[in-house]
Amino acid sequence: SEGFSTNLTFNGGSMCTIVMLCASSLPIFQRRDNNGRLSMCSKLCYAIGGAPYQITGSALGFFLQIYLLDVAQLDPLYASIILFVGRAWDAVTDPTVGFLVSRSRWTRCGRMMPWILISTPFAVLTYFLIWYVPPVEQGKVLWYLVFYCLFQSLQTCFHVPYSALTMFISMDQKERDSATAYRMTVEVLGTVVGTAIQGQIVGGAIAPCLPGDLDVLDNGNSTLLGSDFNITHISLDETKQAYLIASAVICTMYVLCAAVLFLGVREQEECGRLKTEPMSFFEGVRMVMGYGPYVKLVMGFLFTSLHTHKQPNKLFFMTSYRLLEGNFALFITYTLGFRNDFQNILLVIMLSGTLSIPFWQWFLIRFGKKTAVYIGITWAVPFMILIVCIESSLIVAYVVSVAAGVSVAAAFLLPWSMLPDVVDDFKVKNPDSSGHEAIFYSFYVFFTKFASGISLGISTLSLDFAGYVTRGCSQPDAVNLTLKVLVSPAPVVLIFLGLFIFKTYPIDEERRQGNRKLLQEMRESDQDSETESTELGSAV
């Protein structure tokens, strides 16, 4: 791993030097204002760097499952294997990349940026190939499995360093919180863009369903899609082409966002230098998993985020949000019967979330982050229950989508706003240990993606057992019941489990402010020591 890290640093450093010499002549990329604080331009450039992860994540999260089933026409069992193995592999690569990043040497543009720069072109290539249907029937499963895993690995090389970059753009908590709010606003907007691009382009060429005798479909025990049932004249080849066009547009945006991040953000070298000897991989695992506040934060957010998108983000919240995200398109299409409107409903959720980010930023500053967690996450529960209890109504579906978007915004903002607090708390408790930020962030992303893979795998298998009909214009009643369970009762239970665990999270506002003062005193003490050493050396 040390040789790999060194090689990456050399290549990345050379590339950084060339690009940054060009960027230095552009006055638009002003990284600090006249008072030495992060400029709005720098915060925006940093925030834009988070868009590729969310744009591709929303497209994959909302559409990959239905794409594999209805366009690639894979058996639900094989689709579930692809989704689970891909997410599990992605999760495994996170701590590995985090470990390698932590051992990377400092270059002209830092330790994080070379990873982002080098991984981008390969990531967009593999993403595009995910949405291509190979002409060979026998190799389809292997094709999607290989390119899905490759893309997840390459995106990890982008997202883990980007996530850890939060700790290196500023040493001030307020500046980091402000930059995180910018980031979450852009990331939620990224989900809007991803959902809009994929949904609107693909929505104009929806894969044709296969109407048939309902008795044949499920022994007479099926539900027709009402007025939305008609025989489309759009061919399957046109649908495949639409997915390729959408992926090409998203790939272009991925590259543009990465370029803006690279040109507009500079790591602080004094924060990025390693001051201690690099630890081994397993020492890093023990360090992260042995730190109580970190474990409680991750476990609390794990269950709650599995019911929606991301992502990148949060364990109990993680599990519940991911269950909802992966099955919501199918739920809207088949259970509610809005085959031609599901992409617009998803878009409304993301737009509502984008507009709600500033409110939650104000709320967490005014009332504290833990209070924001309790209010923001539980806000979605009544609407998750309502959507499965009412009769199919397009107006009500849109109203519920607007309300649900408010909770989605909280689920995006809060975990990434609270994780730096845990890292600061660790620094206070372990003042002689530094340079491990990437390990904390990578394991956080690891648990998020691993939980996501489990939820998607289980949900797809559940649909298979319930008798899901590939490209069917209707589904058996057992499938509709399964979808209702996956988008409401299961996520609600996971949310409350996550909130129960989150009550034990020890970092409140008082402790957070205390850590801020202690870290400032530690930095001032280090500066005084360096000044004294310099003066002594000059005297000698």
Side-chain angles (χ1 to χ4, degrees):
S1 61
E2 190 169 341
F4 175 85
S5 175
T6 303
N7 184 56
L8 176 67
T9 302
F10 174 79
N11 295 332
S14 301
M15 196 174 299
C16 287
T17 302
I18 296 172
V19 177
M20 291 187 68
L21 285 174
C22 298
S24 61
S25 61
L26 300 177
I28 190 174
F29 294 108
Q30 181 183 0
R31 289 156 177 131
R32 297 268 161 183
D33 61 19
N34 294 330
N35 296 322
R37 296 172 298 186
L38 279 177
S39 66
M40 180 179 295
C41 175
S42 184
K43 293 176 183 177
L44 284 173
C45 290
Y46 166 72
I48 289 172
Y53 182 76
Q54 297 300 336
I55 292 174
T56 57
S58 62
L60 290 170
F62 283 122
F63 294 94
L64 183 59
Q65 185 180 43
I66 197 169
Y67 166 81
L68 293 175
L69 293 173
D70 289 355
V71 180
Q73 300 182 39
L74 296 182
D75 183 271
L77 175 61
Y78 293 135
S80 66
I81 292 174
I82 292 170
L83 293 172
F84 174 75
V85 173
R87 293 299 180 98
W89 171 257
D90 184 25
V92 171
T93 60
D94 285 304
T96 304
V97 171
F99 170 72
L100 293 174
V101 170
S102 69
R103 296 175 66 90
S104 298
R105 296 178 182 178
W106 184 267
T107 69
R108 179 181 173 84
C109 58
R111 286 194 293 133
M112 308 298 162
M113 287 298 184
W115 289 82
I116 294 171
L117 181 66
I118 295 173
S119 65
T120 295
F122 301 102
V124 297
L125 175 62
T126 53
Y127 177 81
F128 181 80
L129 292 175
I130 289 174
W131 302 103
Y132 174 73
V133 180
V136 289
E137 191 68 29
Q138 296 298 324
K140 278 185 180 180
V141 176
L142 183 61
W143 173 279
Y144 291 114
L145 185 61
V146 168
F147 284 109
Y148 188 42
C149 290
L150 281 175
F151 170 73
Q152 297 285 21
S153 299
L154 291 164
Q155 192 181 52
T156 295
C157 293
F158 181 106
H159 185 61
V160 168
Y162 173 76
S163 299
L165 190 62
T166 307
M167 302 301 299
F168 297 103
I169 58 175
S170 176
M171 293 180 291
D172 184 80
Q173 283 186 0
K174 289 184 178 180
E175 285 193 344
R176 291 201 305 257
D177 285 346
S178 176
T180 299
Y182 276 82
R183 172 190 168 186
M184 291 302 111
T185 302
V186 173
E187 288 199 2
V188 177
L189 184 61
T191 65
V192 175
V193 173
T195 304
I197 292 174
Q198 194 83 7
Q200 298 305 315
I201 294 178
V202 172
I206 299 176
C209 62
L210 297 177
D213 188 279
L214 294 184
D215 294 331
V216 175
L217 283 177
D218 193 45
N219 298 323
N221 189 29
S222 297
T223 304
L224 197 62
L225 292 181
S227 59
D228 285 339
F229 175 76
N230 54 65
I231 299 177
T232 178
H233 298 287
I234 298 174
S235 69
L236 184 58
D237 287 337
E238 290 176 296
T239 303
K240 294 176 182 178
Q241 185 178 13
Y243 273 98
L244 285 177
I245 294 173
S247 66
V249 174
I250 289 176
C251 287
T252 303
M253 298 191 67
Y254 193 116
V255 173
L256 291 176
C257 291
V260 170
L261 170 67
F262 187 81
L263 295 174
V265 177
R266 177 79 61 86
E267 292 181 49
Q268 290 193 17
E269 186 172 356
E270 62 270 19
C271 298
R273 288 174 175 167
L274 285 172
K275 298 181 180 179
T276 57
E277 289 296 322
M279 62 175 59
S280 69
F281 178 80
F282 293 105
E283 287 175 338
V285 173
R286 287 195 296 269
M287 177 194 72
V288 168
M289 301 313 299
Y291 194 62
Y294 178 80
V295 174
K296 291 173 182 176
L297 178 74
V298 172
M299 290 302 297
F301 277 120
L302 170 63
F303 290 95
T304 44
S305 70
L306 272 184
H307 79 274
T308 191
H309 175 48
K310 210 186 257 168
Q311 81 269 96
N313 300 335
K314 317 97 200 162
L315 284 190
F316 272 121
F317 298 150
M318 232 184 280
T319 309
S320 54
Y321 274 102
R322 293 293 183 180
L323 278 175
L324 180 58
E325 176 202 47
N327 298 283
F328 200 51
L330 293 172
F331 174 76
I332 294 172
T333 299
Y334 292 113
T335 304
L336 297 185
F338 303 135
R339 170 178 290 272
N340 297 320
D341 297 283
F342 79 90
Q343 67 271 13
N344 297 324
I345 294 174
L346 298 180
L347 186 59
V348 168
I349 294 176
M350 296 299 104
L351 282 172
S352 175
T354 302
L355 297 176
S356 302
I357 288 285
F359 166 76
W360 288 116
Q361 176 66 12
W362 168 84
F363 191 95
L364 67 86
I365 293 174
R366 178 66 177 82
F367 299 102
K369 296 181 181 181
K370 289 189 70 172
T371 303
V373 169
Y374 295 133
I375 302 298
I377 301 302
T378 55
W379 171 265
V381 172
F383 301 101
M384 294 168 67
I385 297 174
L386 178 64
I387 195 66
V388 299
C389 292
I390 61 172
E391 292 186 7
S392 179
S393 169
L394 187 59
I395 295 178
V396 174
Y398 276 113
V399 172
V400 171
S401 298
V402 172
V406 177
S407 187
V408 169
F412 266 90
L413 175 64
L414 291 169
W416 294 109
S417 178
M418 299 173 74
L419 189 55
D421 300 336
V422 174
V423 178
D424 283 344
D425 193 73
F426 177 83
K427 289 181 178 179
V428 170
K429 298 296 189 297
N430 302 272
D432 297 327
S433 180
S434 63
H436 309 313
E437 293 84 359
I439 298 178
F440 277 97
Y441 278 85
S442 64
F443 272 94
Y444 183 73
V445 178
F446 161 77
F447 286 113
T448 302
K449 293 177 179 178
F450 187 75
S452 171
I454 292 176
S455 68
L456 286 176
I458 291 176
S459 62
T460 308
L461 279 176
S462 300
L463 293 175
D464 186 26
F465 293 146
Y468 180 87
V469 180
T470 300
R471 292 179 59 201
C473 291
S474 64
Q475 295 295 336
D477 290 340
V479 172
N480 292 324
L481 177 61
T482 301
L483 288 170
K484 287 184 177 181
V485 172
L486 290 173
V487 301
S488 183
V492 168
V493 171
L494 292 170
I495 284 176
F496 283 108
L497 284 174
L499 293 175
F500 177 77
I501 292 178
F502 195 78
K503 284 185 65 67
T504 64
Y505 177 68
I507 302 178
D508 53 17
E509 289 303 301
E510 181 180 356
R511 181 165 168 176
R512 192 170 72 89
Q513 295 300 329
N515 288 341
R516 179 185 177 187
K517 294 179 180 178
L518 288 173
L519 286 172
Q520 182 62 34
E521 293 173 359
M522 291 166 60
R523 283 192 291 266
E524 292 175 353
S525 177
D526 290 341
Q527 290 174 357
D528 292 340
S529 299
E530 291 177 2
T531 302
E532 291 176 2
S533 300
T534 302
E535 292 176 352
L536 181 60
S538 300
V540 172

